[in-house]
Amino acid sequence: MVRIFPAADAAADPLLRRARALLAGNGGSYATAWPEVLYEDDWCLVLSKPAGLPVHGSGAPPGHGSGGISGAPAGARREGFAPAAAGKRRVGAGDAALAPATLDEAAACLCLAAGDPLLVRHVHRLDDDTSGPVLYTKNDLAQQVLDAAMRDKTIGRIYWAAVQGVPRPSSGVINADIGRDRHHPSRRRVSPGGDHAVTRYQVLDAWGKAALVELELETGRTHQIRVHMSHAGHPLIGDALYGGSTQLLQRQALHGRRLEFRHPWSGLAIAVDCPLPTDMAQLLQHLSGSRG
């Protein structure tokens, strides 16, 4: 018979080896300061990714530049709301070497701490400085089913973003192809020869010079929301790469608010909400106080 949940060799797999070392340094348990579990069962897992923590890295060990903020140790992030207490905090407790350097490592730690040495794999990704829910699978069958759902665009991803100015009309669809910017290796741009990209938006609240916008992706291009909103004349607050001001926030004000998918085994509809991180909640409070 085919085993649906085969155990992985924790000594042979690099990700599980790093996760095992992290757990050993934390007394064998998953630290409360590590990424929050939003949903979990035997088949899949949803973790809340904080801004500044990459989903996956280069394979380097924690604390050795495996995808963290440039110039900062892996596992560190910036609390970006300027009017509040700006500074840095660790994703995990204690030294950066004892905190997961990627969300993948956190997912592996969670399974190992529960006595399940499974090769958990992410179904989708978020930009390093975007917060929100990330979906993981715990076996090959779940991975195949949810990968197919991503291709068929049946996994719903809803985001909240604070943008400069107020979009008009207050709701609509941005249908503009996205390609690489040949003048900047990290940037993308709206380009007639690019990949098909569609974003739906709706203004939830407005404050004269800024607005809170809910966005839903129909496609999943790199930097899609950031590129589309900048192209529409409303760059995200804090998004210096695409023309946003960093006066109030030191990272793009973009948060994955909800993830919707069908369970890979039961087919039941699942919706997972992700609370706003502290820096974005403070930003929205500040903007609301400046209304009028």
Side-chain angles (χ1 to χ4, degrees), residues 118-137:
L118 302 174
L119 289 177
V120 286
R121 289 166 290 187
H122 58 265
V123 177
H124 64 106
R125 292 171 291 181
L126 295 174
D127 291 346
D128 288 4
D129 283 338
T130 297
S131 54
V134 175
L135 176 61
Y136 284 85
T137 59

Side-chain angles (χ1 to χ4, degrees), residues 1-6 265:
M1 296 179 65
V2 176
R3 296 179 63 191
I4 298 180
F5 300 94
W265 178 250

Side-chain angles (χ1 to χ4, degrees), residues 105-228:
E105 287 183 12
C109 284
L110 189 71
C111 289
L112 286 180
D116 291 329
L118 302 174
L119 289 177
V120 286
R121 289 166 290 187
H122 58 265
V123 177
H124 64 106
R125 292 171 291 181
L126 295 174
D127 291 346
D128 288 4
D129 283 338
T130 297
S131 54
V134 175
L135 176 61
Y136 284 85
T137 59
K138 293 184 176 182
N139 59 55
D140 288 340
L141 178 58
Q143 185 77 28
Q144 292 175 17
V145 171
L146 291 173
D147 278 349
M150 281 293 293
R151 290 193 300 271
D152 295 340
K153 303 178 178 63
T154 58
I155 294 181
R157 292 165 293 164
I158 298 173
Y159 295 80
W160 280 10
V163 304
Q164 295 176 193
V166 181
R168 293 286 185 265
S170 60
S171 64
V173 178
I174 302 174
N175 188 340
D177 296 348
I178 293 176
R180 292 184 178 275
D181 187 336
R182 61 188 180 91
H183 300 294
H184 196 301
S186 300
R187 282 173 54 101
R188 300 295 189 272
R189 61 186 293 269
V190 167
S191 170
D195 295 321
H196 180 59
V198 179
T199 305
R200 297 184 179 275
Y201 76 89
Q202 179 178 352
V203 175
L204 299 180
D205 206 346
W207 305 282
K209 294 183 179 180
L212 174 64
V213 181
E214 183 174 272
L215 305 114
E216 186 170 3
L217 297 178
E218 289 193 8
T219 54
R221 307 306 176 196
T222 300
H223 298 178
Q224 179 172 319
I225 288 174
R226 300 163 65 187
V227 173
H228 273 176

Side-chain angles (χ1 to χ4, degrees), residues 25-41:
N26 197 56
S29 61
Y30 188 86
T32 57
W34 292 357
E36 179 185 358
V37 178
L38 300 175
Y39 175 88
E40 185 180 16
D41 61 27

